[in-house]
Amino acid sequence: MSDTVYRTYMTDELGPLPFCPGCGHERLLKELNRALIQLQPDPSSVVIVSDIGCIGLADRYFITNAFHGLHGRSLTYATGLKLARPELTVIVLMGDGGCGIGGTHLLNAARRNVDITLIIANNFNYGMTGGQHSVTTPSEGVTSTTPSGNIETAMDLCAITIGAGAGWAYRGLGYDNDLAERMVEAINHAGFAMLDIWELCTAYYMPRNDLNKRALYEMIESSGMKVGLLASSDRPSFEVAYRGRAPTGSAPKELISIDPDLPHSLNSQTGIVIAGSAGQKIRSTATVFALAAILSGLKATQKDDYPITIMTGHSLAEINLSPNAIQYTAIESPDYFLVISEDGLKKTTPWIRGLPATCQLIVDSELSIPATQANVQKLPFASAAREIGRLSIGIIALASLLAKTGVFSIEALQQAISKYQSGQVAATNIQAVTKGEQLYQAG
Amino acid sequence: MGLEFIDGNQAIVRGAIAAGCCFFAGYPITPASTILQYMLDQLPRSGGVALQAEDEIAAIGFCIGASMAGRKAMTATSGPGISLYSENIGLATIGETPLVIVDVQRQGPATGSATKGAEGDIQFSRWVTSGGLPVIALSPATVAEAYELTYRAFNFAEQFRVPVFLLSSKEISLTRETVDLDEVNLPGVLERPRMEEGEIYQPHAFDRPEQIPALSDFGAAQVTRYTTSTHDKSGYLTTDPAVIQEMIDHYAAKIETAVDEICLYSEDLQTGADQLLLSYGVTSRAASVAVDHMRSAGKKVSSLVLQTLYPVPEQVIRGALAGISKVVVPEMNMGQYRLEIDRLAPDGVEVVGVNKMDTTLISPTEILNQGDLL
Ligand SMILES: Cc1ncc(C[n+]2csc(CCOP(=O)(O)OP(=O)(O)O)c2C)c(N)n1
Ligand code: SF4
Ligand SMILES: [Mg+2]
């Protein structure tokens, strides 16, 4: 900590503030300066994040760090800054315009509760772009885009942020004598804190609506919106809670084996398609099968296809195995094609019609397949799966395939299941391997 | 370390962490969601932060804030999310923010097909934001390259203070492959140039236009400034046309003068070949099968596979085109990168596209037939 005493956090190096005479933003910034003088932070430990709009011109008049980002998004940069460096004091200056375009960030910053102080310079219109209406323009308010009076309703910024979970919320006027003190409290609050400060845009909203200081007081009274400190709770901030919950220790890796040592019989790339239904564990079955192939010294790729609603419809896996590096990951001409459900059949019917005579097509006995050149074998996968477990149908089918072809050993599949699957799933699948072997021998 | 059977998204997360990534924010979208999932699990273990944002605009906003506070940051999405990133990518460009943006491409336009692959965001990545300044975009073809290029994307982002795209696709990100990541050759980890403590800080200082200004993190000893507005070297708004042009030239020069360093590719040129297959991304894998096929049929053919799409490796492409009478460019879009080849190919060179956007991979046979290569 330095011993420097800061008599001001503002600088006039860039000349006077750039606002129209009487603009409420000027008073607001001077109150923020008073609050900082009271708090005496090191300027390098404070970031003023300013939104777009006239209020967004403010940051450069402070000697603190300044971050001037996109319209409505200031709370997002503030969140990133604070999470990256929790020791920073992060203050956001945003207009009522920013609260509209960035409404979701306002709600979510309140809900998330990162320790940020939001000061809203609410002048009921877009000053910078010529006095258009905003989400806080009162009903009947005249603006350049509501020339005959606003027919929309003004948003109660405190009510919505409190509704979204804001731990600290305050509403007041730019003229309030205790504004700097309220800002100090907000900055000291360890969590999201917001101040909705009503003030005058002397260029647009004030003249169009016959507003002055007194009328502003009347406006806030007749608005039905509450003033003063409206929420104050001590829910732990996101960044504090995060550290309590996040996983620790080193990240798990999916290492397979340093020395694959089981045999295989492949000389060239071999493509296997397995077509089933969502909910049949096709993807994890294909993965454990590929892992077994890798344990046998092969390279593998697995490319899946399924609809976005993963619990319904088809599920398809294309597995390539090769003693060499695999390039193309889809399968132009499958060597083996397993169909184990109606959904899988439906999805692959056009493909099955065009399969060449070199392809071994192994289909569940209960399915009727279209005419094809492929070498067809039917095996009762589904009825076998009903005996030992519905979800093991894929393993049963792939074990039959191994028994039939000897691409790699049954033992490799058993090892992969015991190594990479656990509990009941592994136990059932080990049984399924034997079942698949038997099916092929019986068939 | 040994063999693994992982998908591209896992590899991207590993590459990011190996490069020093310690901040991630994303919004769920297939096929990028598992990056968020893996990051939530893995980043906090080394003291980093990963979180889900309320939308993509917030996700990239968090990342820009975190990056300017000195953390290496990454976000990941798919086409629909890139649209929402657009304005903030401009901010990262004008603010000279190191940032890695992963685009796991899926079939578009709009919502398109969530679970289907495509390579439809190629020119989109180049022209993603207002102003049209140069970007860096890398395109992996395999799971191992997804690891390597994510790592390199961080290095480029730091080295040049720019947002860098990693253009993955469903077909790499959600496809599993046998990999040994220890066998991937990686350069050393690079850090952004940082200013010495105690100096008066200018966030965009340079003497020569291509020079990379030293950064001072928000939270470091000296006060710093960041702005979305047209600014001078001190980060103060300016309307002086000379200063504005000087800054624009600087943003462009950073990348344009470093093309040789940024351009990653692999070429397999055959003497006497008059046909060239030029490819990138997952489609380059079908191209390589097509090349093997042609050569075993006794045809001569050269192959150029680009990992860096932007800046366009013009020298490399011109070199590969020497002596070529026909270049075939297969793409899972309607011919986006072919536009670059069209403008680089000398008169008389036939530029042929093999294109489709039906969500399926372009096959080696399609390349051979539609490219009329046999
Ligand atoms: C994405 C985007 N849309 C529109 C604008 C144009 N714009 C600049 S300032 C502003 C309104 C600002 O109003 P407010 O936040 O109330 O600030 P004030 O000027 O009243 O202080 C708008 C719409 C912009 N900069 N960015
Ligand atoms: S236009 Fe309105 S908000 Fe902007 S400076 Fe003038 S008075 Fe203030
Ligand atoms: Mg306003």
Side-chain angles (χ1 to χ4, degrees):
Chain A
M1 281 289 326
S2 73
D3 302 329
T4 320
V5 175
Y6 294 93
R7 289 177 203 291
T8 178
Y9 283 81
M10 295 187 81
T11 167
D12 49 18
E13 259 176 50
L14 299 172
L17 290 170
F19 306 119
C20 304
C23 170
H25 292 349
E26 180 152 345
R27 218 193 120 79
L28 187 85
L29 298 184
K30 290 187 169 152
E31 293 302 319
L32 174 59
N33 188 36
R34 281 183 51 207
L36 289 171
I37 293 167
Q38 205 171 311
L39 288 162
Q40 285 294 309
D42 191 314
S44 68
S45 72
V46 178
V47 189
I48 293 183
V49 182
S50 64
D51 214 87
I52 294 289
C54 294
I55 189 64
L57 300 170
D59 59 81
R60 79 188 87 150
Y61 297 93
F62 285 81
I63 60 169
T64 63
N65 294 292
F67 194 118
H68 178 55
L70 302 180
H71 187 26
R73 317 302 170 193
S74 45
L75 283 167
T76 69
Y77 314 118
T79 301
L81 288 161
K82 183 70 184 179
L83 292 181
R85 293 210 182 229
E87 70 275 17
L88 286 172
T89 298
V90 181
I91 300 165
V92 175
L93 295 174
M94 182 156 71
D96 43 312
C99 293
I101 190 172
T104 186
H105 311 309
L106 180 62
L107 297 180
N108 283 285
R111 200 179 56 74
R112 191 174 288 117
N113 201 32
V114 172
D115 182 5
I116 294 167
T117 300
L118 167 64
I119 299 171
I120 300 170
N122 183 355
N123 58 13
F124 323 108
N125 75 165
Y126 296 177
M128 181 165 268
T129 45
Q132 296 86 351
H133 75 289
S134 78
V135 291
T136 63
T137 306
S139 56
E140 302 304 334
V142 177
T143 70
S144 66
T145 47
T146 54
S148 55
N150 187 19
I151 54 175
E152 300 170 9
T153 298
M155 188 182 278
D156 182 335
L157 296 175
C158 288
I160 62 152
T161 47
I162 292 169
W168 199 99
Y170 172 86
R171 175 175 290 121
L173 291 189
Y175 299 107
D176 290 347
N177 291 327
D178 59 351
L179 190 50
E181 279 67 38
R182 297 289 86 81
M183 288 179 179
V184 167
E185 287 165 24
I187 293 168
N188 281 337
H189 176 75
F192 179 78
M194 69 88 94
L195 303 103
D196 173 20
I197 307 303
W198 291 22
E199 34 139 273
L200 293 178
C201 168
T202 46
Y204 298 112
Y205 200 77
M206 188 175 101
R208 281 175 180 152
N209 294 277
D210 282 336
L211 220 53
N212 54 30
K213 184 172 168 180
R214 171 122 60 78
L216 192 61
Y217 276 100
E218 284 163 10
M219 191 174 126
I220 207 164
E221 261 167 42
S222 64
S223 73
M225 295 185 201
K226 293 183 185 150
V227 293
L229 183 60
L230 303 177
S232 171
S233 81
D234 51 8
R235 180 161 69 101
S237 69
F238 179 91
E239 56 277 27
V240 168
Y242 185 82
R243 283 295 158 215
R245 294 291 173 90
T248 53
S250 56
K253 286 204 172 156
E254 297 184 18
L255 281 184
I256 296 164
S257 164
I258 304 184
D259 302 304
D261 54 358
L262 293 166
H264 69 80
S265 67
L266 290 186
N267 302 315
S268 58
Q269 188 164 323
T270 296
I272 303 166
V273 176
I274 174 161
S277 296
Q280 282 186 325
K281 297 275 167 207
I282 301 295
R283 284 197 278 165
S284 57
T285 299
T287 300
V288 80
F289 180 79
L291 286 165
I294 300 166
L295 288 175
S296 312
L298 292 165
K299 306 257 188 306
T301 62
Q302 178 189 343
K303 170 172 148 57
D304 303 316
D305 184 69
Y306 45 88
I308 188 77
T309 48
I310 57 161
M311 300 291 282
T312 162
H314 73 278
S315 177
L316 200 92
E318 289 172 76
I319 307 163
N320 277 298
L321 305 179
S322 173
N324 309 309
I326 297 166
Q327 289 297 337
Y328 186 54
T329 53
I331 300 175
E332 282 206 271
S333 176
D335 299 281
Y336 305 105
F337 206 112
L338 300 166
V339 186
I340 59 172
S341 82
E342 197 64 53
D343 293 314
L345 178 63
K346 223 157 104 195
K347 180 73 190 173
T348 55
T349 292
W351 201 355
I352 291 173
R353 285 206 178 95
L355 286 175
T358 50
C359 177
Q360 303 276 343
L361 175 60
I362 312 175
V363 196
D364 178 63
S365 317
E366 293 167 18
L367 299 172
S368 35
I369 52 159
T372 172
Q373 305 246 297
N375 194 342
V376 184
Q377 180 170 22
K378 289 205 167 188
L379 290 174
F381 300 132
S383 73
R386 280 193 286 271
E387 280 170 44
I388 47 174
R390 202 175 52 80
L391 302 182
S392 62
I393 185 165
I395 294 287
I396 297 175
L398 286 165
S400 307
L401 177 73
L402 286 182
K404 181 182 170 85
T405 62
V407 168
F408 57 85
S409 65
I410 288 280
E411 188 197 342
L413 186 56
Q414 286 163 337
Q415 272 198 22
I417 290 167
S418 336
K419 222 169 149 183
Y420 309 113
Q421 300 190 316
S422 54
Q424 194 50 50
V425 174
T428 311
N429 281 345
I430 291 288
Q431 263 184 293
V433 173
T434 314
K435 192 76 196 172
E437 232 182 329
Q438 288 165 356
L439 280 194
Y440 169 68
Q441 281 148 6
Chain B
M1 203 178 303
L3 295 173
E4 294 180 89
F5 188 56
I6 58 174
D7 67 21
N9 279 351
Q10 280 169 292
I12 286 167
V13 169
R14 296 278 195 81
I17 292 174
C21 174
C22 56
F23 190 92
F24 179 89
Y27 183 80
I29 183 167
T30 307
S33 300
T34 51
I35 297 178
L36 167 62
Q37 214 67 49
Y38 299 137
M39 280 294 193
L40 286 171
D41 178 54
Q42 299 191 15
L43 268 197
R45 296 172 189 272
S46 45
V49 175
L51 76 162
Q52 178 176 326
E54 55 267 28
D55 60 18
E56 286 85 351
I57 297 176
I60 189 170
F62 294 176
C63 288
I64 290 173
S67 177
M68 295 316 292
R71 308 290 182 231
K72 289 187 181 179
M74 180 169 101
T75 184
T77 186
S78 191
I82 298 290
S83 311
L84 296 188
Y85 287 175
S86 170
E87 195 186 7
N88 267 312
I89 292 172
L91 176 64
T93 304
I94 201 171
E96 303 195 69
T97 304
L99 177 64
V100 174
I101 299 164
V102 179
D103 178 4
V104 185
Q105 298 169 88
R106 72 185 213 185
Q107 173 79 6
T111 304
S113 299
T115 60
K116 309 288 184 192
E119 289 176 331
D121 301 348
I122 306 302
Q123 291 284 351
F124 187 29
S125 74
R126 171 62 188 85
W127 304 103
V128 68
T129 195
S130 173
L133 293 170
V135 301
I136 297 177
L138 310 179
S139 159
T142 64
V143 170
E145 276 184 18
Y147 173 74
E148 176 188 341
L149 295 185
T150 305
Y151 179 100
R152 288 181 183 272
F154 272 93
N155 271 2
F156 288 150
E158 292 288 308
Q159 195 179 351
F160 300 108
R161 283 188 62 176
V162 288
V164 178
F165 277 99
L166 184 86
L167 297 175
S168 183
S169 98
K170 179 267 172 185
E171 294 294 351
I172 297 153
S173 278
L174 297 187
T175 295
R176 284 178 185 262
E177 285 193 73
T178 316
V179 289
D180 184 345
L181 296 183
D182 293 333
E183 283 182 0
V184 177
N185 260 328
L186 297 176
V189 168
L190 295 181
E191 298 291 333
R192 59 192 68 182
R194 283 191 169 86
M195 79 154 330
E196 304 286 320
E197 253 188 44
E199 296 169 41
I200 299 280
Y201 179 57
Q202 281 197 315
H204 305 280
F206 54 87
D207 296 325
R208 290 165 286 109
E210 70 279 11
Q211 220 176 340
I212 313 299
L215 258 162
S216 175
D217 304 333
F218 279 81
Q222 49 280 318
V223 163
T224 184
R225 318 182 36 75
Y226 185 88
T227 177
T228 176
S229 298
T230 308
H231 52 257
D232 60 17
K233 292 176 181 176
S234 305
Y236 285 110
L237 187 141
T238 181
T239 53
D240 179 341
V243 176
I244 292 172
Q245 189 64 52
E246 188 187 13
M247 295 303 293
I248 295 290
D249 291 342
H250 161 65
Y251 303 133
K254 289 197 294 186
I255 293 178
E256 283 165 357
T257 59
V259 174
D260 291 348
E261 203 177 342
I262 300 169
C263 286
L264 308 168
Y265 59 93
S266 55
E267 60 184 357
D268 173 8
L269 309 182
Q270 194 172 28
T271 25
D274 70 343
Q275 308 200 94
L276 171 71
L277 253 172
L278 193 155
S279 59
Y280 60 86
V282 74
T283 307
S284 69
R285 302 174 68 151
S288 100
V289 175
V291 166
D292 289 349
H293 194 91
M294 287 174 72
R295 288 183 182 162
S296 42
K299 293 254 173 191
K300 288 192 169 167
V301 62
S302 286
S303 167
L304 174 62
V305 179
L306 301 178
Q307 276 100 38
T308 301
L309 297 183
Y310 298 105
V312 177
E314 297 189 358
Q315 285 301 106
V316 174
I317 293 170
R318 285 206 176 92
L321 284 170
I324 294 295
S325 63
K326 180 169 87 183
V327 50
V328 175
V329 190
E331 303 180 80
M332 287 176 77
N333 57 52
M334 297 320 288
Q336 296 187 12
Y337 206 72
R338 194 171 77 227
L339 292 173
E340 310 292 351
I341 313 306
D342 275 333
R343 71 181 172 82
L344 293 171
D347 283 349
V349 175
E350 190 190 355
V351 183
V352 179
V354 175
N355 304 95
K356 68 173 183 182
M357 275 182 79
D358 69 351
T359 76
T360 64
L361 289 178
I362 296 175
S363 72
T365 309
E366 286 169 324
I367 295 175
L368 292 169
N369 291 344
Q370 289 170 40
D372 199 11
L373 287 162
L374 281 176

